[in-house]
Amino acid sequence: MLQSVIQITMFIIGVALVLNLWRLCIGPTMTDRILALDTMYINSIAMLIVFGMHEKSTLYFEGALLIAVMGFVGTVALSKYLLRGDIIE
C-alpha cells in the first residue's frame, strides 16, 4: 500500500511542478516568477524525499538538503536584486 501512495504522491508533486513551470513562464510580474521558482525548489525537495523513500536510500535526502540551501540563497539573491537593483553593496 505504501508503494501506491508514494507513486500517487510523486504524480501529484509532478503536476505541481508543471503548474509552477507554467507560472514561471507566464507570470505577470517578476515577483510572481520569483515565487514560482521558490515553490519549484520546495516541490523538487519533496519529490526527492519521496523518491528517496521509494528507493530506500539516504543519498536523495542529502540531495534535497543541497537543493534547499541553494534555493534559499537563490531566492534571497533574486529578491534583493528585485528590491534594490544590486545584489552586492
Side-chain angles (χ1 to χ4, degrees), residues 3-87:
Q3 294 299 324
S4 61
V5 170
I6 286 175
Q7 290 176 352
I8 291 169
T9 305
M10 288 179 67
F11 174 74
I12 291 171
I13 294 171
V15 169
L17 279 168
V18 169
L19 291 173
N20 285 327
L21 183 64
W22 179 65
R23 174 54 68 189
L24 184 67
C25 291
I26 66 153
T29 64
M30 188 60 92
T31 308
D32 290 333
R33 290 184 174 136
I34 291 173
L35 186 61
L37 189 64
D38 188 47
T39 309
M40 284 182 75
Y41 288 137
I42 293 169
N43 287 338
S44 63
I45 290 166
M47 180 76 85
L48 272 177
I49 289 174
V50 171
F51 189 70
M53 289 170 57
H54 175 68
E55 294 293 318
K56 297 178 179 77
S57 174
T58 59
L59 183 65
Y60 297 103
F61 299 125
E62 294 173 8
L65 285 173
L66 287 173
I67 289 176
V69 170
M70 297 299 283
F72 175 73
V73 170
T75 302
V76 168
L78 284 172
S79 298
K80 192 172 180 182
Y81 176 74
L82 187 64
L83 213 101
R84 297 184 184 163
D86 191 19
I87 296 173

